[in-house]
Amino acid sequence: MLHFKSRRGASRRHFLKHLAAGAAWAGPAAHFLSTLQSQAAELKKNQKSVILLWMGGGPATIDIWDLKPGAITGGPFNPIGTSGDPQICEHLPKMAQQMHHMSIVRSMSTREADHSRGRYYMHTGFVPNPSVDHPSYGAVVAHQLEQTRPNLEIPPFVSVGGNSTGPGFLGLAYAPFIVDSNGRIRDLEMKTTESRWRARMQFLNQLESQFISQNRGPATTEHRKMLEKTNRLLTSTQMEAFRIDGEAQSVREAYGNTAFGRGCLMARRLVEVGVPFVEVDLGGWDTHSDNFNQLATKLPEMDQAMAALVADLSERGMLDQVALLWMGEFGRTPRINGNTGRDHWARSWSAVVGGAGFQRGIAVGKTNSDGTEVETTPYSSEDLMATVLQSIGISLDTRFTAANGRPMKIAGGGRPIKELLA
Amino acid sequence: MNAPLPLTRCPLHRTVIFAVAAISIIVFLSWSASADTAISTANQDPVAHLDALMRTHWEENEISPSSAATEGEWCRRVFLDVIGRIPTLDELDTYLNDNSGDKKSRLVDRLLSDQYSEAYTRNWANIWTNVLIGRSGGSERNSRTNRRGMQVYLEEAFGENRPYDQVVTELINARGTSRPPTASDAAPDFNGAVNFLAMKLGNNPNDPEYGTQATAKTSQIFLGRRVQCTQCHDHPFNRWKQNQFWEFNAFFRQTVALRRFEGGRNIAFIQLAEQDFQGPTGEPEEAEIFYDRRNGVRMAAYPVFTDRDGAQTELARSGFVEDVDRRAQLASLVRRSGYLPEALVNRYWAHFFSHGFTQPFDDMGPHNLPSHPDILQYLSEQFVASGYDLKQLIRGITLSEAYGLSSRLGAHNEADDPALGEAPLFSRFYPRQMRAEQLYDSLLIATRADKTGQTTADQERKRAEWLRQFVIAFGTDENDEKSTFNGTIPQVLSLFNGDLIQQSIDAESGSFLGEVIRDGELTPREKMDCLFLAAFSRKSSAKERRWANRAFANHESATAAFQDVWWTLLNTNEFILNH
């Protein structure tokens, strides 16, 4: 059924204004409010979620999390001490204060060094395969945790910036809902009356069902699911989570007035209302030339936003519920090329995790003296994904049934990284 | 069944009957002429031969195809796929009331004739612009490519149905400037075709990464071979080796894309030109490029083209343009390549059937063998024999039995479901989302915005703006991007509340809806049928009219009720899917 859930956009905002002013609104509103409050309390107890900080383009982790000072591959940056065990790049002074909440995996070793293949592989735990469209992290987590939040009215997988990959065989209902970092969502305002909207939905529901019943395949049912989701979202007060201008000035300043800063703040607001998976993009890491100058301007933006997010989650008591994951599609060559750049490199690189059920403040794995080889057990995308899923309590025995009827192991059958799980 | 609706009484229809009749005579003549020169290598009618091949596959897989699509469904489908929009009521009516035995081929020929030249040209120029420079190419700040310039070239090429092999040659070998003439710039060296490579090359051919995008895209788009990953290592699944990537890349090293500025650092246009290539060691007589093996060993590469079955053509190693013009050579090697026709046929088949003979259609090779090699080969041969005639190919595909099948599952083809990861058997039509462009242009038919006296430039600007909201660029060196017009929430929101839909349900005079509502000669039921025919290419059923009556019974006016019917139809799966 397509439910009509009352109240169009204009009056919703009006309604919220009243709430903010403390005006009383008897009946349904009061009921609504109490639901929201109990929901928030429950979330703080046991609603897990994941925030993925996606570094599009493939960051030079050898200059960020696993420095090689003195090596010919090392570059000009110096390592600094942190509140955890590992040392990190001098351009991350704020993160250095938060590293007791985070851990570095320095032994990532993957095979895909092409952007689109790497993005797919790191997002799904599977290498691209023409006959199966695999679900991405966000879709898997949304699919697994959705049942635990019956009151969630907004999409369970939000991508701030849109660099994510799709829901694969789990279907469009688990597709990323893509917003820009300003949280602007087009065409949210219903341009008609409530009663006319309701009538349209009634007729639309009948026509949709009729066409679905004609047995024309999944595209017809997928369409109806999206109608339902969209209709629900139109009337939801949870949409306020996208509006970071509701935050105090001091909080916004802490995250930084950058696209990534706003995205990280929005991510916190979204997991607060119960969204199981939020992905925030920071692109521009494809530093084939002028790597070090580019990093010197890029890292501070990342440092401020990421550190503010970790600190904020920690202060709000949410860090045990929220798994954080920082990664790109691959690392970059230890060798510095003729343009002072670094090229694509998947064989030895770093990812960072934190919060949730992770062991924190450590570095797992080790690369050799010039960063070209992993010297300890190498970890794959599958292993990293299995670790993240386990950190929020998703069973690795979960099996999906792919569209072709074949059972498919969650996280590509990866094995969790033991040292990382507390 | 419903009683037949006197369609001639629908608005939109009355004035053009004469024109349609007149044009179809001309079309028929041109069609007869082209039939002589057409596909003639097989004695049999090529469409019949294609059908026979396809039927053998169905038999081998022990399935029977779905029944044929209704006439309305087929008509809607072929309009969407060939000219990029749904048919108007008139166009639908002309087809449905054509009683000739070859009405299908008459319609396809009409769509490929001068009558629809503008719509056909625009549709395919848009499709190919997206292929060649991406959906966002040219709209980035200070872009190195000129989107309009690309379109100008493609409109010229598709407008005259230029042979495909010639188009490919012109794109690969383009020289000149990227920006079309403007009021202040006559642009004497303008050649829109340069825009394909303009964003994929730079001005320093000694950069070790120079032209990797030109290499990857040229191979993927024209040869159906994805070689990106062989830039760094041998392909894990097929026979492409790393040296072949760089040997291909070496063909682009004499070419520079020079930026021409205006007003400080703003790129005015790009000039694509050849210059002698020295090579990193400064020895133009033997101008090599270097690449690194994964084990760190540095290797040299020279221009060598590896074709189908491993056949190789090696150029002289000189970097002097006067000795050997590498890009001109590449253009002619690609033109003669055995990969060229099959890559194009696979691309076009995927356009019409939503799945190619390989998935994805532009990743062919020993690691990804075609599901219907015989059909791919046959169509490729026909395509070459026709002189790389794209319209002939479209004709053959759209008139095939498979393209005319219903999208409803039959009793004996449940197994044919590519959504299950199985290779498609084409025993039914797979419904697919309209592309954003198709929706926009179809809604224009509904709003008649094209008749409101706006200039073409204004219309194009609005259209481009609307389309841009759905494009996300990933910002990598490969210009990866995707469209959010993919059935997810932003698309649904746009159809629920967006400006375009608001215009569509405008009931003012001059709008389609307004004319239907105000037409005194139409009964309410006929008005309903007009809306259903426009949206779905079929009439309303009694049940549907009952549903609408019940839903909208309490509306303040009949106008409001019809507006809401129209809004609802445009938001259904039946409308948004090409089925």
Side-chain angles (χ1 to χ4, degrees):
Chain A
M1 271 295 287
L2 290 163
H3 298 287
F4 181 82
K5 292 208 39 163
S6 88
R7 219 157 254 112
R8 61 204 173 97
S11 53
R12 161 165 48 86
R13 270 185 280 288
H14 182 68
F15 161 69
L16 286 168
K17 234 180 259 161
H18 274 277
L19 277 185
W25 187 328
H31 170 71
F32 204 6
L33 190 58
S34 67
T35 315
L36 278 182
Q37 279 163 345
S38 65
Q39 212 177 307
E42 187 196 351
L43 170 68
K44 285 195 169 148
K45 276 201 275 27
N46 56 17
Q47 284 206 337
K48 306 282 187 191
S49 44
V50 179
I51 297 175
L52 166 58
L53 305 178
W54 177 256
M55 303 295 122
T61 56
I62 189 172
D63 298 316
I64 305 173
W65 306 113
D66 188 14
L67 279 68
K68 301 292 173 187
I72 192 164
T73 54
F77 297 163
N78 295 308
I80 55 171
T82 71
S83 60
D85 295 344
Q87 294 194 315
I88 61 175
C89 174
E90 60 184 323
H91 292 292
L92 301 175
K94 295 192 164 101
M95 271 312 292
Q97 304 303 311
Q98 303 296 331
M99 285 309 287
H100 56 297
H101 295 306
M102 310 296 289
S103 290
I104 305 173
V105 185
R106 284 178 169 157
S107 45
M108 292 302 296
S109 185
T110 54
R111 288 189 59 170
E112 301 297 342
D114 162 85
H115 289 294
S116 62
R117 292 181 67 90
R119 183 168 55 241
Y120 186 95
Y121 173 60
M122 291 311 299
H123 271 95
T124 62
F126 290 88
V127 294
N129 173 335
S131 67
V132 190
D133 194 5
H134 301 96
S136 70
Y137 255 101
V140 169
V141 171
H143 181 260
Q144 290 294 304
L145 297 188
E146 194 186 38
Q147 303 311 316
T148 66
R149 22 224 105 158
N151 297 319
L152 187 67
E153 293 165 341
I154 59 179
F157 173 12
V158 177
S159 167
V160 187
N163 212 333
S164 190
T165 62
F169 56 73
L170 293 178
L172 283 182
Y174 301 99
F177 179 57
I178 298 171
V179 294
D180 70 18
S181 64
N182 292 311
R184 277 187 304 248
I185 295 158
R186 277 170 184 262
D187 303 325
L188 209 50
E189 186 101 23
M190 285 179 212
K191 290 176 182 137
T192 188
T193 63
E194 182 177 327
S195 66
R196 281 183 68 173
W197 189 266
R198 204 192 302 267
R200 289 173 179 182
M201 284 297 146
Q202 181 187 324
F203 187 37
L204 181 55
N205 190 38
Q206 288 163 325
L207 292 175
E208 286 281 305
S209 304
Q210 174 180 260
F211 198 64
I212 288 169
S213 72
Q214 291 171 356
N215 220 352
R216 295 178 197 258
T220 57
T221 39
E222 290 282 294
H223 182 262
R224 201 237 292 261
K225 281 186 203 161
M226 293 322 295
L227 288 183
E228 284 167 9
K229 279 189 176 275
T230 308
N231 194 39
R232 196 146 54 134
L233 162 152
L234 276 178
T235 54
S236 171
T237 55
Q238 291 171 1
M239 291 301 283
E240 290 299 310
F242 290 102
R243 301 173 56 98
I244 58 166
D245 48 8
E247 291 283 331
Q249 184 67 23
S250 60
V251 176
R252 282 187 285 162
E253 277 169 12
Y255 280 81
N257 186 23
T258 60
F260 187 58
R262 290 188 294 272
C264 285
L265 177 51
M266 198 189 303
R268 194 219 75 213
R269 291 173 62 83
L270 288 165
V271 297
E272 239 173 352
V273 299
V275 174
F277 195 98
V278 184
E279 179 163 342
V280 187
D281 289 345
L282 179 57
W285 297 99
D286 201 14
T287 51
H288 287 286
S289 58
D290 202 19
N291 174 65
F292 303 102
N293 285 326
Q294 289 200 56
L295 287 188
T297 51
K298 188 147 214 60
L299 287 172
E301 174 186 359
M302 180 196 107
D303 185 42
Q304 178 172 10
M306 186 175 176
L309 175 63
V310 178
D312 199 4
L313 289 171
S314 167
E315 281 158 24
R316 287 165 184 263
M318 294 168 68
L319 200 53
D320 289 341
Q321 312 307 324
V322 181
L324 293 166
L325 171 60
W326 179 103
M327 64 175 180
E329 51 264 54
F330 36 68
R332 306 199 77 81
T333 47
R335 187 175 72 84
I336 299 162
N337 69 25
N339 298 315
T340 341
R342 296 187 191 268
D343 302 320
H344 303 179
W345 182 259
R347 194 153 43 159
S348 49
W349 57 285
S350 302
V352 176
V353 297
F358 285 116
Q359 192 69 257
R360 305 175 199 168
I362 60 170
V364 172
K366 199 171 174 307
T367 49
N368 64 358
S369 60
D370 61 3
T372 53
E373 298 284 348
V374 169
E375 287 187 331
T376 54
T377 312
Y379 293 116
S380 62
S381 168
E382 296 89 307
D383 299 333
L384 185 63
M385 191 171 187
T387 316
V388 171
L389 296 180
Q390 187 145 323
S391 81
I392 52 166
I394 293 177
S395 167
L396 298 178
D397 296 329
T398 306
R399 294 287 179 275
F400 293 112
T401 307
N404 58 11
R406 285 211 310 264
M408 192 157 293
K409 290 177 180 174
I410 197 167
R415 288 191 305 207
I417 304 169
K418 285 205 188 66
E419 303 98 300
L420 277 180
L421 293 166
Chain B
M1 279 303 290
N2 300 310
L5 173 76
L7 261 176
T8 46
R9 293 173 58 197
C10 277
L12 287 187
H13 181 72
R14 292 180 193 121
T15 52
V16 284
I17 295 169
F18 177 74
V20 168
I23 288 163
S24 43
I25 294 168
I26 301 165
V27 171
F28 181 73
L29 291 174
S30 68
W31 170 72
S32 314
S34 67
D36 288 341
T37 55
I39 326 175
S40 56
T41 48
N43 292 330
Q44 203 181 3
D45 166 32
V47 174
H49 187 69
L50 167 60
D51 289 346
L53 291 173
M54 187 61 89
R55 245 176 269 129
T56 311
H57 282 275
W58 293 333
E59 281 157 22
E60 280 170 2
N61 285 281
E62 296 175 351
I63 57 170
S64 320
S66 294
S67 53
T70 65
E71 291 197 326
E73 284 169 347
W74 187 85
C75 179
R76 186 179 195 266
R77 191 181 285 179
V78 78
F79 265 87
L80 275 168
D81 286 338
V82 177
I83 65 163
R85 60 162 177 83
I86 56 175
T88 64
L89 280 180
D90 280 322
E91 291 165 334
L92 179 66
D93 186 37
T94 305
Y95 177 68
L96 296 180
N97 289 327
D98 181 346
N99 294 320
S100 60
D102 59 350
K103 62 190 290 185
K104 278 190 169 184
S105 64
R106 283 163 56 96
L107 175 56
V108 170
D109 288 331
R110 227 168 19 246
L111 291 174
L112 297 175
S113 74
D114 288 348
Q115 185 187 347
Y116 284 96
S117 181
E118 202 184 325
Y120 170 89
T121 299
R122 177 181 147 119
N123 183 39
W124 290 95
N126 277 324
I127 290 170
W128 277 95
T129 300
N130 288 343
V131 171
L132 295 170
I133 63 173
R135 287 174 175 275
S136 52
S139 43
E140 320 90 313
R141 193 161 39 89
N142 227 358
S143 177
R144 298 174 57 88
T145 194
N146 186 303
R147 196 168 189 85
R148 187 63 209 138
M150 186 82 258
Q151 281 167 335
V152 166
Y153 167 76
L154 291 169
E155 282 164 7
E156 193 184 289
F158 284 95
E160 62 177 51
N161 194 30
R162 197 173 291 168
Y164 176 68
D165 62 329
Q166 186 187 337
V167 174
V168 172
T169 309
E170 288 168 357
L171 287 165
I172 296 177
N173 198 29
R175 287 140 213 241
T177 58
S178 63
R179 185 171 67 178
T182 60
S184 59
D185 171 21
D189 294 327
F190 169 67
N191 172 3
V194 303
N195 285 294
F196 166 57
L197 287 175
M199 66 195 289
K200 304 175 181 78
L201 292 171
N203 53 13
N204 176 18
N206 280 323
D207 179 342
E209 300 280 324
Y210 190 78
T212 51
Q213 267 313 291
T215 310
K217 291 292 181 192
T218 301
S219 177
Q220 179 173 349
I221 294 171
F222 302 124
L223 304 175
R225 264 66 193 167
R226 292 197 186 185
V227 297
Q228 289 93 316
C229 20
T230 57
Q231 182 181 338
C232 307
H233 54 82
D234 294 344
H235 197 289
F237 313 123
N238 67 25
R239 289 194 286 262
W240 275 92
K241 300 290 181 214
Q242 192 185 1
N243 61 314
Q244 291 172 6
F245 180 92
W246 293 104
E247 287 164 359
F248 198 133
N249 175 271
F251 283 97
F252 291 105
R253 297 293 177 122
Q254 290 172 329
T255 311
V256 281
L258 302 168
R259 291 172 294 178
R260 302 298 181 209
F261 297 98
E262 68 187 355
R265 303 189 62 179
N266 297 323
I267 297 177
F269 57 86
I270 296 285
Q271 179 170 17
L272 212 56
E274 310 309 287
Q275 63 181 31
D276 296 337
F277 177 53
Q278 307 271 326
T281 52
E283 291 169 35
E285 296 81 8
E286 181 107 348
E288 75 284 85
I289 57 170
F290 290 124
Y291 65 95
D292 292 339
R293 298 283 300 165
R294 280 190 111 177
N295 58 16
V297 176
R298 180 153 290 198
M299 307 286 287
Y302 302 91
V304 180
F305 184 78
T306 305
D307 207 340
R308 192 186 244 292
D309 306 321
Q312 294 195 321
T313 308
E314 192 171 346
L315 297 194
R317 294 179 171 186
S318 169
F320 289 114
V321 180
E322 115 185 335
D323 292 344
V324 52
D325 183 331
R326 293 185 177 186
R327 192 155 61 104
Q329 292 293 322
L330 177 66
S332 79
L333 285 163
V334 170
R335 185 177 198 161
R336 291 197 301 269
S337 169
Y339 290 142
L340 185 73
E342 63 175 32
L344 185 280
V345 165
N346 206 23
R347 173 184 296 279
Y348 268 46
W349 188 271
H351 172 87
F352 288 94
F353 287 91
S354 87
H355 296 274
F357 299 115
T358 63
Q359 322 308 326
F361 63 83
D362 56 1
D363 184 9
M364 306 172 79
H367 65 296
N368 195 13
L369 294 171
S371 55
H372 298 66
D374 49 349
I375 296 178
L376 178 60
Q377 191 189 341
Y378 177 69
L379 288 175
S380 301
E381 286 166 6
Q382 294 294 315
F383 181 51
V384 175
S386 74
Y388 295 84
D389 184 337
L390 293 166
K391 286 190 172 178
Q392 288 289 342
L393 177 65
I394 290 174
R395 189 175 191 281
I397 291 176
T398 50
L399 292 177
S400 69
E401 180 184 6
Y403 185 75
L405 296 173
S406 170
S407 59
R408 299 174 82 148
L409 215 55
H412 304 287
N413 61 349
E414 295 91 340
D416 181 12
D417 191 352
L420 299 182
E422 302 296 330
L425 296 170
F426 309 108
S427 73
R428 63 193 183 89
F429 189 83
Y430 311 119
R432 83 291 298 256
Q433 281 269 339
M434 284 189 204
R435 284 175 292 113
E437 292 87 350
Q438 289 173 316
L439 176 78
Y440 189 88
D441 294 339
S442 295
L443 285 180
L444 273 198
I445 296 285
T447 58
R448 294 225 202 132
D450 53 334
K451 305 230 168 44
T452 53
Q454 293 180 46
T455 63
T456 317
D458 268 355
Q459 286 178 35
E460 278 299 326
R461 191 180 41 76
K462 275 191 161 173
R463 185 175 189 272
E465 258 171 37
W466 188 83
L467 292 170
R468 214 159 31 236
Q469 66 177 303
F470 297 110
V471 180
I472 290 173
F474 290 156
T476 63
D477 61 346
E478 292 175 7
N479 300 308
D480 295 334
E481 59 184 12
K482 71 177 169 199
S483 169
T484 59
F485 193 86
N486 57 356
T488 55
I489 290 168
Q491 176 193 315
V492 179
L493 280 173
S494 166
L495 279 163
F496 272 3
N497 303 322
D499 291 345
L500 201 54
I501 194 84
Q502 289 304 119
Q503 287 166 27
S504 302
I505 63 168
D506 179 5
E508 293 306 304
S509 60
S511 76
F512 165 70
L513 184 63
E515 285 200 17
V516 172
I517 293 173
R518 271 187 288 280
D519 193 316
E521 291 178 34
L522 295 176
T523 66
R525 172 177 167 176
E526 286 166 349
K527 289 177 182 176
M528 282 289 277
D529 276 340
C530 280
L531 300 186
F532 271 71
L533 281 161
F536 301 156
S537 296
R538 67 170 177 86
K539 291 178 200 165
S540 62
S541 70
K543 188 168 29 166
E544 287 165 333
R545 289 191 299 273
R546 236 179 5 253
W547 286 340
N549 275 332
R550 217 173 293 148
F552 305 124
N554 295 326
H555 274 34
E556 65 268 29
S557 67
T559 299
F562 276 116
Q563 280 182 314
D564 283 0
V565 168
W566 190 224
W567 183 96
T568 307
L569 299 191
L570 298 180
N571 269 288
T572 56
N573 40 16
E574 188 168 357
F575 176 74
I576 196 72
L577 295 174
N578 179 5
H579 56 83

